[in-house]
Amino acid sequence: MPDVEASQDRERPLRSPAFRWFFAGRSISMAGSFMSPVALAFAVLELTDNPGWLSAVTSASYVPMVATMLLGGGIADRHRRDTVLRLTSLGAGLTQGCVAVLLLTHQHPALLLPFAALNGVFQGLTTPALRGIVSNLAVGGGLQQASSLLASAGNTARILGPTTAGLLTASVGGGWAIAADASSFLLAAALFARISLPDLPPRAEGNPTMRSEMREGWAYFRSQTWIWSVTLAFAVFNGTNMGVWQILGPTIANDTIGAAGWGLVLSARGVGALLASVVLVKVTVMRRPMVPALSAMALATLPLILLGTGANTFWLAAASLLGGVVAEFFTVVWETVNYTHIPERLLSRVGAHDEFWSSASFPIGQLSAPALAAAFGTTAVAVAGGGTAATAMLLASFVPALRRIEINRTRAPRVAQRLTRQRRARPDRGAAPGVDQSRGKAR
């Protein structure tokens, strides 16, 4: 009977205490995280008035993050994911706290680089654990509901965070917003400590090493065309988005609409994403969802194009809102498909490869955008970047393996029952196959 009740709780995530603690921790952590980019960007520009330094600081975080994702996938599939999240959230909170102190005391931006790098390491180890832990806490129909609930919380933070950060930056400085982000990580670590997943059984002498398990994850990833084709498309999307939106965006806004206006534009994206996630909590996605999801993602590049053409706050916000809607639709579809089709024991490792290869273009976009803008002009770089990203999404929608991907509704209950039986025999694993997060792809 307890197993039946536990399974029913995972079908209705909010009935599960473990999911509620996880949901609370993630919600608080994301609230701080969506304040950080705006605050950091304008704080660095205030210190240096140089987009090159902004590019250097953000790259100092993203390069280690990407580099440690694959290791994080191996760790998350070999150790309790709740323990991993506690430790990485604690580390991220401490490093962000150091960044906040440096900004509040107006130190040279070069001193930010080592702490940004350490924070990136903790984020890289966090991402794969986040991709796998939802399947430990929800099964069957609860997977889409859990993903949508987390997305709704994240999108609420996406709405409030940038606007709050913009107002704080314009009034008292970005360092205080970074301090709030640090506090959110520390509080999240305390909440994750209330989650208690089953201990993993002792590893036998002949069990595979982490290296061989990581090779297994790579072999599965490269054998699944439907996974790596989307990863490749997002590598293009993320590189252009990171360079144009994250680097050139604040630089342009600093001379036009200001920190508060840029915060409103980013918050509008959160409004669109929140609307979509609230609807998707109740509405089931279509049987073959990947082609509509990828086609819709082409619209998410519109804000990049408008940014380059000098659009005002209203039109940027409107395009950003639309981008939030379609990006959230894709996110829920992608998570549901992953949870349905990837074996649970491989979730974190395969997810780490998805995150690694789709995020490898982050530093390329960040470092190249200022140089390209200086050579060809901001308008040309932004418009070309948006067009390139849209093309990548549309080309991926023609991949035959993606067009055949289905979410089989009638099979889902039987899958949940089979996985529940497996969990009784092997309590170190969750109860369903399946993605993201973390902040996930830079959608």
Side-chain angles (χ1 to χ4, degrees):
M1 182 67 79
D3 285 333
V4 174
E5 291 177 355
S7 177
Q8 290 175 344
D9 283 349
R10 292 195 297 272
E11 293 252 4
R12 299 177 181 178
L14 288 177
R15 291 179 57 180
S16 165
F19 180 82
R20 290 199 298 270
W21 287 118
F22 174 71
F23 180 73
R26 280 296 293 152
S27 298
I28 292 170
S29 174
M30 288 186 289
S33 296
F34 280 114
M35 295 175 63
S36 180
V38 174
L40 183 63
F42 287 96
V44 172
L45 289 173
E46 181 183 359
L47 284 174
T48 66
D49 196 28
N50 185 346
W53 269 113
L54 174 58
S55 176
V57 173
T58 53
S59 297
S61 174
Y62 277 108
V63 170
M65 182 188 76
V66 172
T68 54
M69 279 183 181
L70 298 182
L71 176 62
I75 292 173
D77 277 342
R78 288 174 67 90
H79 301 279
R80 280 177 45 177
R81 290 163 181 154
D82 55 334
T83 301
V84 174
L85 290 179
R86 284 196 292 273
L87 295 176
T88 56
S89 296
L90 179 61
L94 293 175
T95 53
Q96 277 294 76
C98 293
V99 170
V101 170
L102 291 173
L103 290 174
L104 289 170
T105 55
H106 305 286
Q107 302 300 315
H108 193 277
L111 297 177
L112 299 173
L113 299 181
F115 296 107
L118 283 173
N119 189 268
V121 169
F122 289 118
Q123 293 301 316
L125 296 176
T126 297
T127 299
L130 289 171
R131 295 190 74 146
I133 196 170
V134 174
S135 68
N136 295 132
L137 305 174
V139 300
L143 287 169
Q144 181 183 330
Q145 186 181 23
S147 297
S148 297
L149 286 167
L150 288 165
S152 297
N155 291 322
T156 301
R158 191 191 295 270
I159 295 168
L160 300 177
T163 300
T164 303
L167 294 173
L168 282 174
T169 301
S171 56
V172 296
W176 291 108
I178 300 296
D181 186 27
S183 300
S184 74
F185 276 120
L186 297 176
L187 183 54
L191 293 172
F192 292 152
R194 302 300 301 270
I195 304 171
S196 183
L197 296 178
D199 288 326
L200 277 65
R203 301 187 65 83
E205 185 175 340
N207 279 2
T209 63
M210 186 189 303
R211 185 176 179 180
S212 63
E213 288 183 343
M214 291 175 69
R215 284 200 300 265
E216 181 187 15
W218 164 246
Y220 185 90
F221 172 83
R222 71 180 182 180
S223 71
Q224 303 298 313
T225 306
W226 68 271
I227 301 177
W228 63 254
S229 58
V230 172
T231 301
L232 179 61
F234 268 97
V236 176
F237 182 95
N238 288 344
T240 55
N241 183 74
M242 188 60 63
V244 175
W245 195 251
Q246 300 289 345
I247 301 300
L248 297 184
T251 304
I252 295 170
N254 197 43
D255 296 326
T256 54
I257 62 177
W262 186 241
L264 288 173
V265 169
L266 297 183
S267 292
R269 179 181 175 88
V271 172
L274 178 61
L275 292 174
S277 61
V278 168
V279 171
L280 288 167
V281 169
K282 298 293 184 181
V283 177
T284 303
V285 298
M286 61 282 295
R287 184 180 178 187
R288 291 188 175 182
M290 287 307 302
V291 171
L294 286 164
S295 301
M297 272 303 297
L299 295 174
T301 64
L302 184 59
L304 278 67
I305 298 172
L306 290 179
L307 179 68
T309 58
N312 61 26
T313 304
F314 174 81
W315 288 110
L316 277 174
S320 189
L321 186 146
L322 175 62
V325 171
V326 297
E328 192 58 37
F329 171 60
F330 179 88
T331 299
V332 172
V333 165
W334 186 238
E335 290 181 350
T336 304
V337 166
N338 274 250
Y339 288 131
T340 305
H341 289 275
I342 299 176
E344 188 275 335
R345 67 184 185 84
L346 293 171
L347 267 176
S348 291
R349 281 170 284 168
V350 174
H353 279 288
D354 180 25
E355 294 289 346
F356 175 83
W357 297 109
S358 64
S359 302
S361 58
F362 280 1
I364 297 173
Q366 290 173 326
L367 294 172
S368 64
L372 290 173
F376 301 105
T378 301
T379 297
V381 173
V383 173
T388 301
T391 301
M393 293 293 107
L394 294 175
L395 287 176
S397 69
F398 287 98
V399 174
L402 282 167
R403 300 175 76 88
R404 293 193 297 266
I405 284 287
E406 295 185 358
I407 299 176
N408 192 329
R409 308 295 175 193
T410 59
R411 182 172 171 268
R414 292 197 296 272
V415 171
Q417 292 169 6
R418 173 173 59 80
L419 290 167
T420 299
R421 289 195 297 270
Q422 290 177 350
R423 182 178 175 83
R424 292 172 190 163
R426 182 173 50 84
D428 58 308
R429 298 298 182 189
V435 90
D436 235 11
Q437 83 150 335
S438 74
R439 288 140 198 162
K441 291 179 171 57
R443 301 186 179 104

